[in-house]
Amino acid sequence: MDPGVIKSYLPLYRDALLLTLRIGWQGVLLAFIIGFLCVTAIRFKVPVVRVIVKGYIELFRNTPLLVQLFFLYFALPKIGIRLSPEFCGSLGLGLLGGAYMAETFRSGLDNIPVIQQESAESLGMNRLQAFRYVILPQAVASSVPGFLANTIFLLKETSVFSTISLMDLMFTAKDLIGMYAKTIECLTLLVVFYLIMLLPVSILGSFVERRLRHAEYGD
Amino acid sequence: MQNMGIDVLFKGRNFLRLLGGLWVAVRISLISVAISIVLGILMGMLMTLKNRPVQILCRIYLEIVRIMPQMVLLFIVYFGTTRVFGWNLSAEYAAIIVFSFWGTAEMGDLVRGSLISIPKIQYESARALGMKEGTLFRHVILPQTVRRLIPLSINLITRMIKTTSLVMMIGMVEVLKVAQQIIEANRKSSPNAAFGVFFVVFLLYFLICWPVSRAAVYLEKRWAE
Amino acid sequence: MDNALLRIEHIEKAYDEHGVIHDLNLVVEKGEVIVIIGPSGCGKSTLLRCINALEDIQGGQILLDGVPVKRDARNISAMRQKIGMVFQSYDLFPHKTVLDNITLAPIKVQKRTRKDAEEEAVALLDRVGLADRRDDYPRQLSGGQKQRVAIVRALSMHPEILLLDEITAALDPEMVREVLDVVLTLARSGITMLIVTHEMSFAQAIADRVIFLENGQIVEESRDPAKFFTEPETPRAKEFLRTFRYER
């Protein structure tokens, strides 16, 4: 292990981390929005849209991100849709994540006992009011651990971005190994930088899970 | 469909080559899942032991798998260990090692989860009936655990298959790589091949994973008490 | 019968071909306390759920103040505000404090001011002996306390009729009393109630009228609870009541 080499590589890895984080968070945010919209369409049984949404969820949950990205980046230009690599990254992550977030959110909704809906209705709330004030807050709270797990999953998935020539952590490591053959240093930095990115989310995740379990069962 | 490039797949043995590539992905997944199930059951049982060092070690192992992208693990095993230990590792072995390492952790956690989700009263009532520990495990605990586990392990298979798409990054010729080769070879005659070919790859993955995850959902519903 | 508040006329209710309620008629007068008893599966809970339009009915009609109560009607929210309901258990909103549980519907549905709603909620909580628990979450309360809050929550909408669906069935025995005491006080204050319960001595003490339901039909009806519980007229009611006494 050569400290000099590590020091000289640091700025490259830092830039790669920032790029990964930027695309990653855009993707996660997009995933939340898509997931929420999908679940709303399913919950309120919007005709046609509901079927499309279900198809989308199945399609994107059952294909790898890498293939989705290849399709967005290499295939779409052939029918005239040209997207920048960064945009492809965020969009691909958002589409993949949207399907996962929707599933997590939906099971959160399904776990709310029917009696909650009924007591809200028996107090004279209409469906929208019951959803907004009674069902939604509970479903969001119980889905938080799942949301965080999905976030970790999505940030991990960013590691395939290098295939559409985004200079993320993986790309940087691969590139440097190819050029200077300092394999050990490059891989160590790779691991360290992924830890920097994901350890906080993971710790937050277990913290929230403990808190929620406490809120449900303890007093 | 001429200009969409799907026609490329009907040239020569192109489609068969693509399926061959897919088989590489499926083969690696199946081998890794088989290893993961065996090791995962052992690990899950280890994790329920009330042995502090064992629990801490397992925790660390799980946390590594949870945080590190499989791609990073692949790089470490394929480029890192060969460099440090100087051995020769084929990409396929590296992939199987990494996916089994990952799958064992996932499976171990599932097994642990199902084992501890069996209510204590089940153990107590079996013992109250005078069963020995072996009989208790074999006839009471195991059947209940397996029912919970099967749908979850089937899910693991689809996740494996999806993740195997990464092995092209360490130079294996699987379905995506074959797709790229086909597109490259027909660049002149069929410039739009990328659309058709990647679309078909997309569908192929879906057609393999979707029935498997439906099966998991079905079993989970059917066996839910 | 110009004093009638709720009219149930020839209602039919079935789940997948399986009839639960058949040609049931009932008129509830203002201020009346009616206790409905019967074996499990007799349709008594379903009847209450139909009145609150939580279930569709396949025939007949339910009229409150002469206005039909129908699940898909435009005015259903307004109708439900006139009908208070308390369920067996677990129906408080777990993410809201006791006070917010009570004031949510008055503020959001009836558009009352927070101050007004809270003042009334506190007064009602005081009446059921829970004024000091206003900022607690449901998980911090015992089962009996939860049910008292649920009653207050229903009352805060000023319902014309209160439906109580086995509200003590999920409670530990020592908590049943505190909830029933609250219901008894309400009955004495003149609020109209339909009560489904398995607490026979309570039923006898509170009822103006007892209805014995079996297979979705009224088998026996009595305006003299003391007589009904000691010497019912029909053999079916006699048999049912005997299951509550342990005799050798």
Side-chain angles (χ1 to χ4, degrees):
Chain A
M1 199 90 87
D2 184 344
V5 171
I6 290 193
K7 209 173 160 205
S8 67
Y9 286 173
L10 267 179
L12 292 171
Y13 274 89
R14 191 200 55 215
D15 291 347
L17 177 71
L18 291 178
L19 178 86
T20 310
L21 274 180
R22 191 169 70 238
I23 304 176
W25 284 110
Q26 282 168 2
V28 170
L29 187 68
L30 188 62
F32 266 111
I33 297 170
I34 294 177
F36 182 78
L37 291 177
C38 287
V39 167
T40 314
I42 294 176
R43 175 94 184 171
F44 286 93
K45 303 200 167 77
V46 184
V48 187
V49 178
R50 175 164 156 248
V51 179
I52 297 172
V53 161
K54 284 194 167 164
Y56 150 73
I57 291 176
E58 291 296 329
L59 196 59
F60 278 79
R61 278 177 65 89
N62 286 297
T63 44
L65 177 62
L66 192 54
V67 177
Q68 294 163 13
L69 283 182
F70 269 42
F71 188 75
L72 290 177
Y73 189 65
F74 296 114
L76 286 187
K78 303 295 177 194
I79 54 167
I81 304 170
R82 214 165 283 277
L83 308 168
S84 76
E86 270 203 38
F87 187 77
C88 272
S90 307
L91 183 64
L93 209 57
L95 285 172
L96 173 81
Y100 279 84
M101 294 292 185
E103 276 298 292
T104 304
F105 196 22
R106 191 166 66 145
S107 75
L109 280 173
D110 287 348
N111 284 335
I112 310 292
V114 187
I115 189 93
Q116 289 286 324
Q117 175 79 26
E118 291 181 344
S119 16
E121 279 182 27
S122 74
L123 287 167
M125 291 186 209
N126 59 34
R127 277 179 71 200
L128 205 63
Q129 285 169 326
F131 186 67
R132 161 121 165 59
Y133 299 117
V134 176
I135 307 299
L136 190 62
Q138 294 185 59
V140 169
S142 74
S143 306
V144 166
F147 287 154
L148 283 169
N150 288 344
T151 303
I152 293 178
F153 162 71
L154 290 176
L155 290 177
K156 276 165 75 174
E157 288 282 304
T158 58
S159 60
V160 304
F161 282 171
S162 56
T163 52
I164 53 168
S165 55
L166 277 169
M167 293 172 60
D168 74 332
L169 288 170
M170 223 54 227
F171 188 98
T172 307
K174 200 177 173 191
D175 214 30
L176 289 173
I177 292 174
M179 281 194 293
Y180 306 110
K182 299 277 183 200
T183 313
I184 308 304
E185 288 82 355
C186 286
L187 289 178
T188 309
L189 280 170
L190 183 65
V191 168
V192 169
F193 272 82
Y194 267 109
L195 281 180
I196 293 175
M197 179 160 84
L198 289 164
L199 209 51
V201 191
S202 171
I203 291 171
L204 181 68
S206 21
F207 175 73
V208 167
E209 203 157 337
R210 257 202 306 274
R211 277 296 294 273
L212 274 179
R213 208 172 302 151
H214 182 72
E216 254 172 66
Y217 303 113
D219 30 312
Chain B
M1 290 311 255
Q2 182 73 26
N3 55 352
M4 286 307 175
I6 290 190
D7 56 316
V8 169
L9 291 173
F10 299 108
K11 273 192 206 156
R13 296 168 33 85
N14 279 352
F15 194 66
L16 274 180
R17 282 179 61 207
L18 210 57
L19 289 181
L22 199 61
W23 170 241
V24 172
V26 173
R27 186 179 66 213
I28 293 178
S29 314
L30 291 180
I31 297 173
S32 309
V33 166
I35 297 174
S36 303
I37 287 178
V38 175
L39 294 181
I41 290 175
L42 289 176
M43 184 178 159
M45 288 162 74
L46 264 184
M47 286 172 76
T48 55
L49 293 181
K50 291 192 172 48
N51 181 323
R52 201 84 188 117
V54 171
Q55 279 185 337
I56 292 174
L57 275 178
C58 289
R59 197 70 247 159
I60 293 173
Y61 171 32
L62 282 186
E63 211 49 31
I64 291 173
V65 172
R66 212 161 88 96
I67 291 186
M68 276 303 129
Q70 285 86 351
M71 187 92 108
V72 175
L73 298 177
L74 271 178
F75 267 48
I76 291 175
V77 172
Y78 189 63
F79 296 115
T81 64
T82 44
R83 175 97 191 166
V84 174
F85 304 114
W87 59 38
N88 234 335
L89 199 60
S90 77
E92 178 156 359
Y93 280 128
I96 290 174
I97 291 172
V98 167
F99 291 141
S100 305
F101 179 78
W102 165 56
T104 301
E106 295 268 341
M107 200 62 206
D109 205 29
L110 295 178
V111 170
R112 184 194 63 99
S114 342
L115 280 177
I116 61 170
S117 75
I118 308 268
K120 234 172 103 186
I121 191 84
Q122 292 285 327
Y123 290 87
E124 287 169 354
S125 46
R127 282 189 196 122
L129 289 167
M131 283 189 203
K132 291 205 182 72
E133 294 305 293
T135 325
L136 175 146
F137 196 77
R138 163 84 185 72
H139 291 284
V140 181
I141 307 304
L142 203 62
Q144 299 188 52
T145 317
V146 166
R147 283 207 156 188
R148 281 169 219 244
L149 269 180
I150 287 179
L152 298 171
S153 352
I154 294 178
N155 254 330
L156 190 60
I157 299 180
T158 62
R159 291 170 59 203
M160 285 276 182
I161 294 177
K162 284 186 287 174
T163 314
T164 47
S165 60
L166 300 183
V167 298
M168 74 169 278
M169 295 288 288
I170 54 169
M172 277 191 78
V173 182
E174 46 65 77
V175 58
L176 267 179
K177 193 76 207 170
V178 174
Q180 278 183 327
Q181 290 169 349
I182 293 174
I183 294 164
E184 200 56 42
N186 296 281
R187 171 137 298 185
K188 286 229 174 61
S189 61
S190 174
N192 286 338
F195 186 84
V197 174
F198 282 134
F199 182 72
V200 169
V201 171
F202 198 109
L203 275 186
L204 282 177
Y205 264 106
F206 179 72
L207 289 178
I208 288 203
C209 293
W210 191 63
V212 183
S213 36
R214 291 314 297 174
V217 171
Y218 171 77
L219 287 180
E220 207 166 350
K221 272 199 187 132
R222 218 187 111 174
W223 285 344
E225 289 92 348
Chain C
M1 283 288 222
D2 50 2
N3 211 17
L5 176 66
L6 180 75
R7 282 175 183 280
I8 295 167
E9 297 174 343
H10 307 290
I11 63 163
E12 301 278 344
K13 169 73 195 168
Y15 295 111
D16 323 312
E17 312 287 304
H18 177 70
V20 183
I21 291 176
H22 181 55
D23 192 23
L24 191 138
N25 294 280
L26 181 67
V27 176
V28 183
E29 288 167 32
K30 257 191 195 97
E32 204 179 10
V33 175
I34 297 183
V35 173
I36 304 166
I37 60 171
S40 49
C42 71
K44 49 193 195 307
S45 287
T46 308
L47 175 61
L48 292 196
R49 293 170 59 83
C50 288
I51 295 173
N52 207 4
L54 292 172
E55 306 279 350
D56 286 316
I57 49 175
Q58 277 84 46
Q61 59 174 351
I62 295 167
L63 301 168
L64 183 71
D65 291 329
V67 184
V69 185
K70 272 172 79 180
R71 194 167 153 76
D72 295 322
R74 198 172 275 276
N75 66 349
I76 185 61
S77 164
M79 294 308 290
R80 280 188 177 132
Q81 292 177 46
K82 297 183 184 181
I83 308 171
M85 183 156 183
V86 182
F87 300 84
Q88 198 178 75
S89 61
Y90 309 122
D91 63 323
L92 290 184
F93 306 137
H95 60 300
K96 297 206 173 286
T97 62
V98 166
L99 194 65
D100 288 340
N101 255 284
I102 301 168
T103 57
L104 180 65
I107 293 173
K108 299 299 179 192
V109 179
Q110 294 182 329
K111 312 289 180 206
R112 286 158 61 185
T113 64
R114 175 171 292 276
K115 185 166 167 291
D116 175 38
E118 282 186 356
E119 271 170 11
E120 189 187 355
V122 171
L124 283 169
L125 277 175
D126 198 31
R127 264 177 70 188
V128 301
L130 289 173
D132 55 330
R133 310 309 294 264
R134 48 178 280 180
D135 295 321
D136 285 358
Y137 282 90
R139 62 173 184 275
Q140 295 166 290
L141 303 179
S142 72
Q145 291 169 330
K146 278 186 214 171
Q147 286 304 58
R148 282 186 277 161
V149 173
I151 294 170
V152 166
R153 189 176 67 180
L155 287 177
S156 71
M157 298 296 284
H158 304 282
E160 293 179 11
I161 183 168
L162 199 55
L163 313 176
L164 306 181
D165 186 8
E166 302 198 35
I167 59 168
T168 58
L171 297 183
D172 290 337
E174 67 268 27
M175 288 169 184
V176 171
R177 180 88 204 191
E178 62 188 52
V179 175
L180 295 185
D181 281 344
V182 168
V183 179
L184 198 61
T185 325
L186 288 177
R188 299 224 167 100
S189 73
I191 186 157
T192 315
M193 283 195 270
L194 269 180
I195 303 173
V196 167
T197 185
H198 283 299
E199 303 285 337
M200 292 304 149
S201 51
F202 167 71
Q204 185 173 345
I206 199 172
D208 295 322
R209 186 152 41 127
V210 183
I211 284 169
F212 176 63
L213 209 62
E214 193 174 54
N215 298 327
Q217 283 177 313
I218 296 176
V219 175
E220 186 170 343
E221 189 173 343
S222 166
R223 288 184 185 272
D224 185 353
K227 181 164 174 294
F228 173 83
F229 283 105
T230 46
E231 37 188 316
E233 283 169 11
T234 57
R236 290 299 302 131
K238 206 171 281 176
E239 199 179 314
F240 173 72
L241 286 174
R242 206 172 56 215
T243 60
F244 285 86
R245 278 191 297 274
Y246 191 80
E247 290 163 343
R248 294 180 59 153

